[in-house]
Amino acid sequence: MSKYKIAILDDYQDVAKSFADWTLVTEYAEIEVFTNHLHEEDEIVARLKHFEIICVMRERTPLTPGLLMRLPNLKLIVSTGARNRSIDLAAAEKLGIEVQHTGYLGHGALELTWALLMAIAKHIPQENANLRAGGWQHMVGNDLKGRTLGILGLGNLGAQVAAVAKVFDMDVIAWSENLTPEKAIAGGARYVDKKTLFQEADYLTVHMVLSDRSKGIVGADDLALMKPTAYLINTSRGPLVDENALIKSLEENKIAGAALDVFDKEPLDENHPFRKLKNVLATPHIGFVTQDTYNLFFNDIVKVLLNWLPKHPKK
């Protein structure tokens, strides 16, 4: 019996095999791990055309109809997380490609949101660099107590962010298109309109699902409403914020700074402004990159494969 070929994509840290025992999987399949990301469709096709199974990490490599049509050997996609909006499920179904998902842990994004917010507020990266260079105090940190946290999107994660803000005795305001005053109160915030959210927030954090409707929901006009002392935090999805407008606002010091974990194009280009602007604290989309989450992801992938492979022997 010949073996299936399995590709594990975008394993940036080369850790997939260390988080789970793949021994039984190798009885049915040959596994190849790819640690570098490809953007161009032709390159992706050349890499994957011989594989019957691909394991994808969240939304790192979009599986579009055009790409899937060019992978005639593909039979199974296993994606980390309960959903992956970058996989065209309709196209996969039409082509007879099965799609399965793993479980997901949501606490990583909450923890990183506060890590970034506090780091940029207290100038931790700058103070650490100054100390390592032989210096001592050279900046004055900002306060959280008594300040206003604006939450754009008060869903499950937004409500958790609001709960933490209360520990710091912050005033919490929120807005989204479907939010009502009653839902805001239930989520631990005070309802305001969108204009007021941007005008009053000292820290504005984005927690919305990316869709055609929400793409670019933070635009140039919204950023222009923010205080020059305010900070924007985005650990949700890059395209929710107009990237060019944000860059311009930061370059012109119209706002105090931004803490970002997500971007329009990932990985960021080597010379991207977010890598260089002094008022930007940027991390490489690590909100869900945690020990517990990866442990769940890769062990669930192995479970999916061990359930699927014996039922689909390769002829």
Side-chain angles (χ1 to χ4, degrees):
M1 182 185 300
S2 59
K3 291 186 175 183
Y4 281 103
K5 293 183 181 296
I6 298 176
I8 300 175
L9 304 188
D10 299 313
D11 182 13
Y12 297 148
Q13 305 98 330
D14 196 14
V15 294
K17 289 188 175 180
S18 66
F19 273 93
D21 185 353
W22 300 76
T23 304
L24 293 178
V25 176
T26 60
E27 295 181 9
Y28 300 92
E30 299 172 356
I31 303 170
E32 187 167 357
V33 177
F34 297 98
T35 58
N36 67 315
H37 177 78
L38 299 178
H39 288 288
E40 299 300 323
E41 183 175 297
D42 287 347
E43 292 180 331
I44 298 172
V45 170
R47 169 174 284 182
L48 299 180
K49 62 184 179 181
H50 299 301
F51 289 91
E52 293 94 359
I53 300 171
I54 58 175
C55 304
V56 296
M57 175 62 74
R58 300 288 284 155
E59 293 148 11
R60 292 177 181 172
T61 296
L63 300 179
T64 63
L67 175 60
L68 292 174
M69 289 179 63
R70 299 176 66 186
L71 300 175
N73 293 310
L74 186 58
K75 301 182 183 301
L76 174 66
I77 299 167
V78 187
S79 173
T80 56
R83 61 184 178 185
N84 186 334
R85 293 180 179 273
S86 69
I87 300 175
D88 193 300
L89 297 177
E93 182 178 9
K94 184 177 180 180
L95 294 166
I97 303 168
E98 189 173 346
V99 180
Q100 295 201 37
H101 298 266
T102 72
Y104 184 69
L105 299 176
H107 63 267
L110 169 67
E111 294 172 359
L112 184 67
T113 296
W114 280 102
L116 290 176
L117 191 155
M118 296 180 73
I120 200 169
K122 305 299 182 182
H123 309 304
I124 291 174
Q126 298 94 323
E127 292 290 12
N128 177 257
N130 186 52
L131 183 143
R132 287 178 176 273
W136 199 236
Q137 299 176 9
H138 77 299
M139 300 181 77
V140 179
N142 298 285
D143 297 279
L144 302 187
K145 181 181 174 66
R147 302 304 188 267
T148 298
L149 177 68
I151 303 178
L152 182 61
L154 195 65
N156 291 334
L157 181 55
Q160 293 177 56
V161 171
V164 176
K166 293 298 184 182
V167 175
F168 292 111
D169 200 16
M170 301 181 77
D171 178 33
V172 184
I173 59 177
W175 175 85
S176 69
E177 290 179 325
N178 297 321
L179 188 65
T180 65
E182 294 75 20
K183 289 180 179 179
I185 292 173
R190 173 167 54 89
Y191 175 82
V192 296
D193 59 32
K194 187 181 183 185
K195 180 178 180 181
T196 303
L197 182 80
F198 282 85
Q199 287 177 326
E200 294 190 0
D202 296 299
Y203 306 91
L204 195 148
T205 181
V206 181
H207 300 288
M208 300 191 74
V209 174
L210 180 63
S211 66
D212 291 339
R213 188 174 70 167
S214 64
K215 184 177 181 180
I217 196 166
V218 180
D221 292 343
D222 304 306
L223 295 169
L225 295 171
M226 295 179 70
K227 303 173 185 178
T229 55
Y231 295 91
L232 177 75
I233 301 95
N234 187 8
T235 58
S236 187
R237 288 294 182 271
L240 292 168
V241 181
D242 183 325
E243 188 171 279
N244 290 329
L246 179 57
I247 291 170
K248 188 174 187 294
S249 181
L250 291 164
E251 288 176 339
E252 297 176 357
N253 294 305
K254 295 295 180 64
I255 62 175
L260 310 168
D261 186 49
V262 289
F263 313 94
D264 281 7
K265 178 184 177 183
E266 299 179 6
L268 274 179
D269 290 336
E270 185 177 346
N271 295 315
H272 196 285
F274 287 151
R275 291 185 183 269
K276 301 176 181 181
L277 284 166
K278 293 183 178 180
N279 52 356
V280 170
L281 171 57
T283 50
H285 203 155
I286 59 172
F288 67 91
V289 183
T290 74
Q291 294 283 330
D292 288 350
T293 305
Y294 268 32
N295 186 62
L296 177 67
F297 279 174
F298 292 115
N299 277 282
D300 274 6
I301 289 176
V302 168
K303 290 177 183 177
V304 168
L305 294 173
L306 290 179
N307 182 59
W308 190 90
L309 287 165
K311 298 175 182 177
H312 300 80
K314 188 175 181 183
K315 300 176 182 179

